[in-house]
Amino acid sequence: RTQQNSQLDVAAGIAVTLKDLYNGCNREEKVTRNRKCKKCKGQGFSKKSNIDYKCVSCNGVGQKMGMRQLGPIVQAVRMLCDKCEGRGHTAPNDILCKTCNSTGIEEVTDTFEVIIVPGMINNQHIQVDKEGHGDKDGNVGDLIFVIQEKPHEEFKRLGNNLLYTKTISLGDALCGTEFVINFVNDKPLLVKSKIVVNPLHTYKLVGWGMPVFETDNEKGDLIIDFEVTFPTKNEIKPEFKKHIKKFLKLNDTETDTAGYRSATLIEVQEEDIHEFHPNMQHDGEIPQAQCAHQ
């Protein structure tokens, strides 16, 4: 492609949902471009004789080089031709083309069918050749549709994977749980967990992510980030503590505390955490475990 043609390219954003990118869809998009006027064939006037009206001052370009003073520096700049006022011709008013306002270029609006293929990603390009802007010399650029993914309320896309955050109780984390996800294709997905869920670990459903672009049924994974809610101190009754001590391994080792000073642990508010621990972060690779799913 020539540099001239690439300068005539038209980029048009097309907003799509995560569901559109998962299932694929067809969209109709209207795009307006500048094209060589069909009425006057790019001349800017209706030619009634063999007279050459091309502007001799700019050689029909409509622009010419001039000099501009910028302090002590003289800079060469491109400006509208003062002879033809940028039209590129000096045709009389009675034969000027009204369709393009004598510029030789008119606006054209067409509707294009855009095919969204499953697995396409944000900012991906869909190119339609020779449907961009056109100039008076017959050069035409390309029309480029740019995928713009709308944010999803519940899912976040990570390449071919999906990230979903689920809040569960401590009981569910310890004993297993079942919950239903309204998946990106608006179909319910029943997730079954029969393992002990550690909120510091990451879990995934293999093959429940986004389709991999231009592959046969290959998909990424659905990563589930669990947030575990702990009971409050008022919810932990004395009789409940007895059951916890019976079934869980607790630090009940007898310690000789004679002569020890004592201190009582209290909860730090979330907004104060970094004040106490400014460099607190999780290092190392996050282990993964497999949730049962259907």
Side-chain angles (χ1 to χ4, degrees), residues 51-67:
I51 300 176
D52 187 3
Y53 292 110
K54 183 170 70 172
C55 179
V56 295
S57 178
C58 64
N59 196 30
V61 177
Q63 296 179 335
K64 59 183 181 179
M65 299 303 296
M67 307 304 292

Side-chain angles (χ1 to χ4, degrees), residues 241-260:
K241 287 185 179 182
K242 292 181 181 179
H243 291 290
I244 294 178
K245 290 182 178 181
K246 181 178 179 181
F247 290 101
L248 299 181
K249 295 179 180 180
L250 301 181
N251 184 18
D252 284 339
T253 304
E254 292 292 335
T255 303
D256 184 7
T257 60
Y260 283 19

Side-chain angles (χ1 to χ4, degrees), residues 23-34:
N23 291 330
C25 65
N26 291 1
R27 296 281 294 273
E28 290 189 349
E29 298 289 325
K30 288 186 177 180
V31 183
T32 300
R33 297 97 69 224
N34 296 328

